[in-house]
Amino acid sequence: MSTIVDSPESALPVAPAAAAPSSNAVALASRRAREIAKRRTFAIISHPDAGKTTLTEKLLLYGGAIHLAGSVKARRATRHATSDWMKLEQERGISVTSSVLQFEYEGFQLNLLDTPGHEDFSEDTYRTLVAADSAVMLLDNRKGVEERTRQLFEVCKRRRTPIFTLVNKCDRHGEDPLKLIQDVEADLGIDCFAATWPIFTDDVFVGVYDRRHRRVHMFERSDDRGASRAGVVDADIQDPRIHELVGDAAYARLTADIQLLDAAGHAFDHQRVLDGTLTPVFFGSALTNFGVEPFLREFLELAPPPGPRTATTGEIMPDQNGFTGFVFKIQANMDPKHRDRVAFVRIVSGEFTAGLSVLHQRTGKQLRLAAPQQFMARERVGIEEAWPGDVIGIMDRGTLRIGDTLGGDGTMEFQGIPRFPPEHFARAIPADPLKRKQFDSGLRQLTEEGAAQVFFAETSTGSQPIVGAVGQLQFDVMAFRLEHEYAAPCKFEKMTYRFPRWLTGPKAEVERVANGQSRMRLFDHKGNTVVLFSDAWALRRALQHEDTVTFHETQP
Ligand code: G4P
């Protein structure tokens, strides 16, 4: 069950802008430095079925956030208790929503940004990756790099996000580990450093060798299918116990593999990991927990703490005074009982205290951030303070939008939250004309979440809305949500017109071009002219011949 706790007023002093720092400000700065150093904000990128849910569960298990793994999955069946919205996930077997899980492990504070599993929700996923400081690339040991992993990897690569690779499902026979590594290097163009190496005795996965620490972790299988932590024998590779446990043949193979890796593999270089050009590769099995803890330990050691973000005025550093952050996701009705809308904010600098007032850069107004929340395995808890790298959920009544900057002095704005043009269009037709009001407000709120945009064929109010989405599945999701969350069932009639372009230029020219052949004129919610084209050829022709107007792929 969700609990929403209204947070008390500011518990921490706001850093004064005085020239000579007070002892309070010094204490705050040193606390901030400590909080930043122990945080790791990351996302898991993978192809569906690689084991992301299972791994998430195991990370929470090791973090002590859940006592028996399986509860995240078991909750799948009763998800409607948390949100009606998740019924859809259950029905479609897809993970539609990103959640943010916070948990602790050995003094570290981990923020796991869960990325949606279905490719149609890529836009949401891309934005989530902007909020992460590193990524865990999870691979299936039989399949290696798959299509969706590749797409997400590209986003990380462009942003130079450090990537940690975990080859999962080693408890069952898979591709040769050396071949997997070669494939990752060839396919993704990133160098690999095998940080752990799997040990198989008689083809059974029994442990991993940690190359940097030169230690062997042997696992004991629990008889509860990995519901509790795996038993471990942790010893130096020279320890005779290891030789005995592994057996002669497997030990010989391990030493030969290690020699080969040392001679022919890429050397470890922490700076290259941080630059995103070298990925440490780990082997394990999320299901049986084998290798999960050695992976987690090294990940925490090697992954960067919260880093700076680029703004119009330059880099904003996490240890700077003064709260700043940006909205990277908005979600309505996470809990229908509360009819709420939550804006997810990644904190970039300063500190957050409940009830803090910050500048909302886009409108120039002060915004009081009341009732912030953090998310723990899908449950909400009220929070009183948060630090750079943390993600807080702000209850919002429609003021915030994706990409908005919070805090700062009004001169700076965070950059780089990608926007993607819609690729599919459909007319939204309410099933019950009497529910038009609910329908309009539902459509408005859902499109404000950023997954789809609404357009109109005419500027007058009440004209039929046309929804543009990045993926087809969005229409099903919206229809479902309009019906279940707004009691406004509707039908989406897919259109053949696509390739949206916003037009700017002299008014008469915009009119002429917008009303040309093989085109359909629409207006966005601000009344800007958008043109759809019947096919790629019509678009190309317009781009070549119409030089009196400017075509924009996203809203200018
Ligand atoms: P996803 O979120 O990435 O889509 O994957 P998920 O964790 O749901 O796992 C997909 C399937 O792979 C599940 O099997 C899961 O049990 C299995 N799996 C995950 N990690 C491992 C592993 O380390 N070893 C093996 N052998 N299997 C693993 P399923 O049959 O679809 O579901 P279930 O009945 O097991 O829950």
Side-chain angles (χ1 to χ4, degrees):
M1 287 292 284
S2 307
T3 40
I4 298 182
V5 184
D6 271 319
S7 308
E9 287 298 316
S10 173
L12 280 174
V14 174
S22 67
S23 59
N24 261 358
V26 172
L28 184 59
S30 91
R31 164 103 197 268
R32 190 192 303 142
R34 283 198 308 276
E35 295 291 343
I36 293 169
K38 71 179 195 185
R39 274 169 168 71
R40 298 290 182 271
T41 301
F42 68 107
I44 300 175
I45 59 172
S46 62
H47 194 82
D49 256 8
K52 191 169 57 141
T53 313
T54 313
L55 178 66
T56 303
E57 215 169 75
K58 296 311 168 70
L59 293 177
L60 293 175
L61 170 77
Y62 279 96
I66 51 174
H67 296 296
L68 214 55
S71 44
V72 173
K73 262 208 166 154
R75 222 175 284 153
R76 265 187 187 170
T78 53
R79 262 183 190 169
H80 55 276
T82 311
S83 167
D84 235 17
W85 159 226
M86 287 163 187
K87 266 191 222 156
L88 181 74
E89 294 191 356
Q90 213 182 316
E91 279 170 19
R92 305 287 297 241
I94 53 170
S95 164
V96 182
T97 171
S98 325
S99 46
V100 185
L101 303 173
Q102 188 174 61
F103 58 100
E104 287 175 20
Y105 180 79
E106 296 193 346
F108 285 95
Q109 187 83 49
L110 287 92
N111 294 314
L112 169 53
L113 311 181
D114 186 15
T115 48
H118 196 281
E119 65 182 284
D120 265 10
F121 291 86
S122 48
E123 198 181 356
D124 217 12
T125 310
Y126 290 148
R127 286 194 286 247
T128 297
L129 291 174
V130 178
D133 297 301
S134 60
V136 171
M137 179 165 76
L138 188 67
L139 305 178
D140 183 313
N141 71 340
R142 286 188 184 162
K143 298 182 179 151
V145 175
E146 294 176 85
E147 185 48 35
R148 183 150 166 73
T149 338
R150 204 172 283 121
Q151 289 169 349
L152 295 168
F153 173 85
E154 284 307 322
V155 179
C156 293
K157 191 172 171 182
R158 242 178 287 142
R159 303 195 62 249
R160 299 192 189 172
T161 307
I163 295 173
F164 296 79
T165 304
L166 178 58
V167 177
N168 190 28
K169 307 197 184 183
C170 291
D171 57 295
R172 40 150 239 215
H173 189 72
E175 201 46 271
D176 176 57
L178 272 178
K179 170 139 192 333
L180 273 163
I181 284 194
Q182 282 163 355
D183 286 351
V184 169
E185 294 193 336
D187 195 324
L188 302 179
I190 187 167
D191 291 344
C192 291
F193 168 77
T196 65
W197 199 247
I199 305 171
F200 299 98
T201 300
D202 299 329
D203 267 352
V204 176
F205 182 44
V206 291
V208 293
Y209 171 59
D210 175 344
R211 284 180 72 212
R212 284 196 321 123
H213 302 97
R214 309 185 69 79
R215 292 191 75 79
V216 171
H217 302 265
M218 298 289 292
F219 309 113
E220 286 161 14
R221 209 176 173 129
S222 58
D223 43 20
D224 55 4
R225 281 191 89 225
S228 53
R229 289 161 170 240
V232 173
V233 175
D234 169 1
D236 191 276
I237 184 148
Q238 306 294 353
D239 191 319
R241 274 185 309 160
I242 292 298
H243 193 140
E244 201 179 311
L245 273 171
V246 170
D248 288 341
Y251 193 83
R253 181 170 169 203
L254 174 65
T255 40
D257 281 351
I258 293 167
Q259 275 170 9
L260 183 67
L261 289 170
D262 287 349
H266 291 282
F268 178 73
D269 180 338
H270 194 195
Q271 192 53 50
R272 291 196 61 209
V273 174
L274 296 176
D275 293 342
T277 59
L278 179 76
T279 176
V281 180
F282 300 82
F283 291 83
S285 157
L287 190 69
T288 60
N289 304 340
F290 287 17
V292 172
E293 203 159 22
F295 158 74
L296 185 56
R297 287 225 168 98
E298 287 209 46
F299 169 73
L300 290 171
E301 187 187 329
L302 302 175
R309 288 294 185 278
T310 308
T312 42
T313 51
E315 300 271 274
I316 305 294
M317 307 305 289
D319 56 1
Q320 265 174 240
N321 276 337
F323 172 91
T324 64
F326 60 87
V327 179
F328 68 94
K329 180 182 165 63
I330 287 181
Q331 193 165 343
N333 307 334
M334 282 188 70
D335 188 339
K337 280 199 293 296
H338 296 283
R339 273 243 161 259
D340 50 6
R341 186 174 183 275
V342 179
F344 290 86
V345 177
R346 149 88 196 213
I347 303 177
V348 177
S349 71
E351 49 277 314
F352 172 84
T353 52
L356 181 77
S357 277
V358 295
L359 181 71
H360 179 221
Q361 199 271 343
R362 188 168 48 77
T363 57
K365 292 191 178 139
Q366 284 291 319
L367 209 66
R368 187 171 177 275
L369 305 181
Q373 303 172 342
Q374 264 168 354
F375 294 79
M376 172 82 95
R378 291 194 190 279
E379 285 176 19
R380 304 174 185 196
V381 284
I383 55 156
E384 288 171 26
E385 59 175 52
W387 304 91
D390 285 344
V391 169
I392 48 173
I394 302 290
M395 304 297 283
D396 172 52
R397 289 189 198 281
T399 317
L400 295 171
R401 297 220 191 111
I402 288 167
D404 277 1
T405 296
L406 298 181
D409 59 3
T411 59
M412 78 91 188
E413 194 179 353
F414 286 110
Q415 295 183 312
I417 313 247
R419 281 194 301 174
F420 298 87
E423 288 177 21
H424 304 277
F425 291 82
R427 280 178 224 283
I429 303 162
D432 180 354
L434 295 176
K435 297 264 176 73
R436 181 72 198 217
K437 225 171 130 190
Q438 290 94 314
F439 171 76
D440 283 344
S441 99
L443 207 56
R444 195 189 62 246
Q445 287 188 22
L446 295 182
T447 50
E448 275 169 4
E449 288 180 14
Q453 285 180 53
V454 67
F455 301 91
F456 299 94
E458 289 153 36
T459 42
S460 63
T461 50
S463 83
Q464 197 167 65
I466 289 169
V467 173
V470 178
Q472 291 272 12
L473 189 63
Q474 285 294 349
F475 298 120
D476 296 350
V477 172
M478 284 192 92
F480 183 93
R481 294 187 62 184
L482 282 167
E483 183 175 345
H484 289 82
E485 294 168 19
Y486 297 90
C490 91
K491 211 168 69 192
F492 281 101
E493 230 174 60
K494 309 251 160 90
M495 293 166 38
T496 52
Y497 283 86
R498 296 171 66 178
F499 314 105
R501 290 295 182 274
W502 274 256
L503 295 193
T504 54
K507 209 167 167 228
E509 280 306 291
V510 168
E511 285 294 317
R512 183 186 64 74
V513 173
N515 292 309
Q517 261 190 351
S518 314
R519 290 163 211 181
M520 181 175 193
R521 182 186 194 161
L522 299 179
F523 298 91
D524 70 10
H525 69 286
K526 285 187 176 162
N528 297 314
T529 294
V530 183
V531 179
L532 305 186
F533 293 87
S534 55
D535 50 48
W537 185 79
L539 167 69
R540 237 184 352 261
R541 247 177 81 86
L543 293 178
Q544 276 165 5
H545 298 288
E546 307 287 9
D547 53 6
T548 54
V549 294
T550 312
F551 295 86
H552 308 265
E553 282 195 36
T554 53
Q555 188 193 318

Coordinates of all heavy atoms in Angstrom, one line a residue, residues 44 46-58 73 76 93 95 114-115 117 138 140-142 167-173 205 221 225 284-290 292, ligand 1:
I44 N 19.3 0.2 -15.5 CA 19.7 -1.1 -16.1 C 19.2 -1.1 -17.5 O 18.0 -0.8 -17.7 CB 19.0 -2.3 -15.3 CG1 19.5 -2.3 -13.9 CG2 19.4 -3.6 -16.0 CD1 18.9 -3.4 -13.0
S46 N 18.6 -3.3 -21.0 CA 18.6 -4.7 -21.4 C 17.5 -4.9 -22.4 O 16.6 -4.1 -22.6 CB 18.4 -5.6 -20.2 OG 17.2 -5.4 -19.6
H47 N 17.6 -6.1 -23.0 CA 16.5 -6.5 -23.9 C 15.5 -7.2 -23.0 O 15.9 -7.8 -22.0 CB 17.1 -7.5 -25.0 CG 16.2 -7.7 -26.1 ND1 16.1 -6.8 -27.2 CD2 15.3 -8.7 -26.4 CE1 15.2 -7.3 -28.0 NE2 14.7 -8.4 -27.6
P48 N 14.2 -7.1 -23.4 CA 13.2 -7.9 -22.5 C 13.6 -9.3 -22.4 O 14.1 -9.9 -23.3 CB 11.9 -7.8 -23.4 CG 12.1 -6.5 -24.2 CD 13.5 -6.4 -24.5
D49 N 13.4 -9.8 -21.1 CA 13.7 -11.2 -20.8 C 15.1 -11.5 -20.4 O 15.4 -12.6 -20.1 CB 13.3 -12.2 -21.9 CG 12.0 -12.9 -21.6 OD1 11.4 -12.5 -20.6 OD2 11.7 -13.8 -22.4
A50 N 16.0 -10.5 -20.5 CA 17.4 -10.8 -20.1 C 17.5 -11.0 -18.6 O 18.5 -11.5 -18.1 CB 18.3 -9.6 -20.5
G51 N 16.5 -10.5 -17.8 CA 16.5 -10.8 -16.4 C 16.5 -9.5 -15.5 O 16.9 -9.5 -14.4
K52 N 16.1 -8.4 -16.1 CA 16.1 -7.1 -15.4 C 15.3 -7.1 -14.1 O 15.8 -6.7 -13.1 CB 15.7 -6.0 -16.3 CG 16.0 -4.6 -15.8 CD 15.7 -3.6 -16.8 CE 14.3 -3.7 -17.3 NZ 13.6 -2.4 -17.5
T53 N 14.1 -7.7 -14.2 CA 13.3 -7.7 -13.0 C 13.9 -8.6 -11.9 O 14.0 -8.2 -10.8 CB 11.9 -8.3 -13.3 OG1 11.4 -7.7 -14.5 CG2 10.9 -8.1 -12.2
T54 N 14.4 -9.7 -12.4 CA 15.1 -10.6 -11.4 C 16.3 -9.9 -10.8 O 16.5 -10.0 -9.6 CB 15.5 -11.9 -12.1 OG1 14.4 -12.4 -12.9 CG2 15.9 -13.0 -11.2
L55 N 17.1 -9.3 -11.6 CA 18.3 -8.6 -11.0 C 17.9 -7.5 -10.1 O 18.5 -7.4 -9.0 CB 19.2 -8.1 -12.2 CG 20.4 -7.3 -11.7 CD1 21.4 -8.3 -11.0 CD2 21.1 -6.6 -12.8
T56 N 16.9 -6.7 -10.4 CA 16.5 -5.6 -9.6 C 16.1 -6.2 -8.2 O 16.5 -5.6 -7.2 CB 15.2 -4.9 -10.2 OG1 15.6 -4.5 -11.5 CG2 14.7 -3.8 -9.4
E57 N 15.3 -7.3 -8.3 CA 14.9 -7.9 -7.0 C 16.1 -8.3 -6.2 O 16.1 -8.1 -5.0 CB 14.2 -9.2 -7.5 CG 13.0 -9.6 -6.8 CD 12.4 -10.7 -7.6 OE1 12.9 -11.8 -7.7 OE2 11.4 -10.4 -8.2
K58 N 17.1 -8.9 -6.8 CA 18.3 -9.4 -6.1 C 19.1 -8.2 -5.5 O 19.7 -8.3 -4.5 CB 19.1 -10.3 -7.0 CG 18.4 -11.5 -7.4 CD 17.7 -12.2 -6.3 CE 16.8 -13.3 -6.7 NZ 17.3 -14.5 -7.2
K73 N 8.3 -9.7 -7.8 CA 7.5 -10.5 -8.8 C 6.2 -10.9 -8.3 O 5.2 -10.8 -9.0 CB 8.3 -11.7 -9.2 CG 9.1 -11.5 -10.4 CD 9.3 -12.8 -11.1 CE 9.8 -12.4 -12.6 NZ 10.6 -13.5 -13.1
R76 N 3.7 -8.6 -8.7 CA 3.1 -8.4 -10.1 C 1.7 -8.9 -10.1 O 0.9 -8.2 -10.8 CB 3.9 -9.3 -11.0 CG 5.0 -8.7 -11.7 CD 5.6 -9.6 -12.8 NE 6.7 -9.1 -13.4 CZ 7.6 -9.8 -14.2 NH1 7.3 -11.0 -14.4 NH2 8.6 -9.2 -14.7
G93 N 1.9 -7.9 -20.1 CA 3.2 -8.5 -19.8 C 4.3 -7.6 -20.1 O 5.4 -8.0 -20.4
S95 N 6.5 -3.9 -19.0 CA 6.7 -2.9 -18.0 C 6.6 -1.5 -18.6 O 7.3 -1.1 -19.4 CB 8.1 -3.1 -17.4 OG 8.4 -2.0 -16.6
D114 N 14.5 2.6 -13.0 CA 14.1 1.4 -13.7 C 13.6 1.9 -15.1 O 12.7 2.8 -15.2 CB 12.9 0.7 -13.0 CG 12.6 -0.6 -13.7 OD1 13.3 -1.1 -14.5 OD2 11.5 -1.1 -13.3
T115 N 14.1 1.3 -16.1 CA 13.7 1.8 -17.5 C 12.6 0.9 -18.0 O 12.7 -0.3 -17.8 CB 14.9 1.8 -18.4 OG1 15.6 0.5 -18.3 CG2 15.9 2.9 -18.1
G117 N 10.5 -1.6 -20.2 CA 11.0 -2.7 -21.0 C 10.6 -2.7 -22.4 O 11.3 -3.3 -23.3
L138 N 22.7 -5.4 -19.1 CA 22.4 -6.8 -18.7 C 22.2 -7.6 -20.0 O 21.4 -7.3 -20.8 CB 21.2 -6.9 -17.8 CG 20.8 -8.2 -17.2 CD1 21.9 -8.5 -16.1 CD2 19.4 -8.1 -16.6
D140 N 21.8 -11.6 -21.8 CA 21.5 -13.0 -21.6 C 22.7 -13.8 -22.2 O 23.2 -13.5 -23.3 CB 20.2 -13.3 -22.5 CG 19.7 -14.7 -22.3 OD1 20.6 -15.6 -22.5 OD2 18.5 -14.9 -22.2
N141 N 23.2 -14.8 -21.4 CA 24.4 -15.5 -21.9 C 24.3 -16.3 -23.1 O 25.2 -16.8 -23.7 CB 25.0 -16.4 -20.7 CG 24.2 -17.6 -20.5 OD1 23.0 -17.7 -20.8 ND2 24.8 -18.6 -19.8
R142 N 23.0 -16.5 -23.6 CA 22.8 -17.2 -24.9 C 22.7 -16.2 -26.0 O 22.9 -16.6 -27.2 CB 21.6 -18.1 -24.8 CG 21.8 -19.3 -23.9 CD 20.6 -20.2 -24.0 NE 20.8 -21.3 -23.1 CZ 19.9 -22.1 -22.7 NH1 18.6 -22.0 -23.1 NH2 20.2 -23.1 -21.9
V167 N 26.8 -10.3 -17.6 CA 26.3 -11.4 -18.4 C 25.5 -12.3 -17.4 O 26.1 -12.9 -16.5 CB 27.4 -12.2 -19.1 CG1 26.9 -13.4 -19.8 CG2 28.2 -11.3 -20.0
N168 N 24.2 -12.4 -17.7 CA 23.3 -13.1 -16.8 C 23.0 -14.6 -17.2 O 23.3 -14.9 -18.4 CB 22.0 -12.3 -16.7 CG 21.1 -12.8 -15.6 OD1 21.5 -13.3 -14.6 ND2 19.8 -12.6 -15.8
K169 N 22.4 -15.3 -16.4 CA 21.9 -16.7 -16.6 C 23.0 -17.7 -16.8 O 22.9 -18.7 -17.5 CB 20.9 -16.7 -17.8 CG 19.8 -15.7 -17.7 CD 18.7 -16.0 -18.7 CE 17.6 -14.9 -18.6 NZ 16.5 -15.1 -19.5
C170 N 24.2 -17.4 -16.2 CA 25.3 -18.3 -16.3 C 25.0 -19.7 -15.6 O 25.8 -20.6 -15.8 CB 26.6 -17.7 -15.7 SG 27.1 -16.3 -16.7
D171 N 23.9 -19.8 -14.9 CA 23.6 -21.1 -14.3 C 23.1 -22.1 -15.3 O 23.1 -23.3 -15.1 CB 22.5 -20.9 -13.2 CG 21.2 -20.3 -13.9 OD1 21.3 -19.1 -14.3 OD2 20.2 -20.9 -13.9
R172 N 22.8 -21.6 -16.5 CA 22.5 -22.6 -17.6 C 23.5 -22.3 -18.8 O 24.1 -21.3 -18.9 CB 21.1 -22.5 -18.1 CG 20.6 -21.0 -18.2 CD 19.6 -20.9 -19.2 NE 20.1 -19.9 -20.1 CZ 19.4 -19.0 -20.7 NH1 18.1 -18.9 -20.6 NH2 20.0 -18.1 -21.6
H173 N 23.7 -23.4 -19.5 CA 24.7 -23.4 -20.6 C 24.5 -22.2 -21.5 O 23.4 -22.0 -22.0 CB 24.7 -24.7 -21.3 CG 25.9 -24.8 -22.2 ND1 27.2 -25.0 -21.7 CD2 26.0 -24.7 -23.5 CE1 28.0 -25.0 -22.8 NE2 27.3 -24.9 -23.9
F205 N 27.9 -24.0 -13.1 CA 28.4 -22.7 -12.7 C 28.6 -22.7 -11.2 O 27.6 -22.8 -10.5 CB 27.4 -21.6 -13.2 CG 27.8 -20.2 -12.8 CD1 29.1 -19.8 -13.1 CD2 26.9 -19.3 -12.3 CE1 29.5 -18.4 -12.8 CE2 27.2 -18.0 -12.1 CZ 28.5 -17.6 -12.3
R221 N 24.6 -23.2 -3.6 CA 23.3 -23.0 -4.1 C 22.3 -23.2 -2.9 O 22.4 -24.2 -2.2 CB 23.0 -24.0 -5.2 CG 21.9 -23.5 -6.1 CD 21.7 -24.5 -7.3 NE 20.6 -23.9 -8.0 CZ 20.6 -23.7 -9.3 NH1 21.6 -24.0 -10.0 NH2 19.5 -23.2 -9.8
R225 N 15.6 -21.6 -4.6 CA 15.6 -21.0 -6.0 C 16.1 -19.5 -5.9 O 15.5 -18.6 -6.5 CB 14.3 -21.0 -6.7 CG 14.0 -22.4 -7.3 CD 12.8 -22.3 -8.2 NE 13.1 -22.0 -9.6 CZ 12.4 -21.1 -10.3 NH1 11.5 -20.4 -9.8 NH2 12.8 -20.9 -11.6
G284 N 27.3 -13.8 -14.0 CA 26.5 -14.2 -12.8 C 25.2 -14.8 -13.2 O 24.9 -15.0 -14.4
S285 N 24.4 -15.0 -12.2 CA 23.1 -15.5 -12.4 C 22.2 -14.8 -11.4 O 22.3 -15.1 -10.2 CB 23.1 -17.0 -12.2 OG 21.8 -17.4 -11.8
A286 N 21.3 -14.0 -11.9 CA 20.4 -13.2 -11.0 C 19.5 -14.2 -10.3 O 19.1 -14.0 -9.2 CB 19.6 -12.2 -11.8
L287 N 19.1 -15.3 -11.1 CA 18.2 -16.2 -10.5 C 18.7 -16.9 -9.2 O 18.0 -17.0 -8.2 CB 17.8 -17.3 -11.6 CG 16.6 -18.2 -11.2 CD1 15.3 -17.4 -11.2 CD2 16.6 -19.3 -12.2
T288 N 20.0 -17.4 -9.3 CA 20.5 -18.1 -8.2 C 21.4 -17.2 -7.3 O 21.9 -17.7 -6.3 CB 21.4 -19.3 -8.7 OG1 22.5 -18.7 -9.4 CG2 20.7 -20.3 -9.5
N289 N 21.5 -15.9 -7.7 CA 22.3 -14.9 -6.9 C 23.8 -15.1 -7.1 O 24.5 -14.3 -6.6 CB 22.0 -14.9 -5.4 CG 20.6 -14.8 -5.0 OD1 19.8 -14.3 -5.9 ND2 20.2 -15.1 -3.9
F290 N 24.2 -16.1 -7.9 CA 25.7 -16.3 -8.0 C 26.3 -15.1 -8.8 O 25.8 -14.7 -9.8 CB 25.9 -17.6 -8.9 CG 25.7 -18.8 -8.1 CD1 24.9 -18.9 -7.0 CD2 26.2 -20.0 -8.6 CE1 24.7 -20.1 -6.3 CE2 26.0 -21.2 -8.0 CZ 25.2 -21.2 -6.8
V292 N 26.2 -12.0 -8.1 CA 25.5 -10.7 -7.9 C 26.2 -9.8 -6.9 O 26.5 -8.6 -7.2 CB 24.0 -10.9 -7.5 CG1 23.4 -9.6 -7.2 CG2 23.3 -11.6 -8.6
Ligands
G4P1 P1 13.1 -8.9 -17.8 O1 12.6 -8.1 -16.6 O2 14.4 -8.5 -18.3 O3 12.1 -9.0 -18.9 O4 13.4 -10.4 -17.3 P2 12.9 -11.2 -16.0 O5 13.6 -10.9 -14.8 O6 11.4 -11.2 -16.0 O7 13.4 -12.7 -16.5 C1 12.9 -13.3 -17.7 C2 13.0 -14.8 -17.5 O8 14.4 -15.1 -17.3 C3 12.3 -15.3 -16.3 O9 11.9 -16.6 -16.6 C4 13.4 -15.4 -15.2 O10 13.1 -16.3 -14.2 C5 14.6 -15.8 -16.1 N1 15.9 -15.5 -15.5 C6 16.3 -14.3 -15.0 N2 17.5 -14.4 -14.5 C7 17.9 -15.7 -14.7 C8 19.1 -16.4 -14.4 O11 20.1 -15.9 -13.9 N3 19.1 -17.7 -14.8 C9 18.1 -18.3 -15.4 N4 18.2 -19.6 -15.8 N5 16.9 -17.7 -15.7 C10 16.9 -16.4 -15.4 P3 10.3 -16.9 -16.8 O12 10.2 -18.4 -17.1 O13 9.9 -16.0 -17.9 O14 9.6 -16.4 -15.5 P4 9.5 -17.2 -14.1 O15 8.5 -18.1 -14.3 O16 10.9 -17.8 -13.8 O17 9.2 -16.0 -13.2

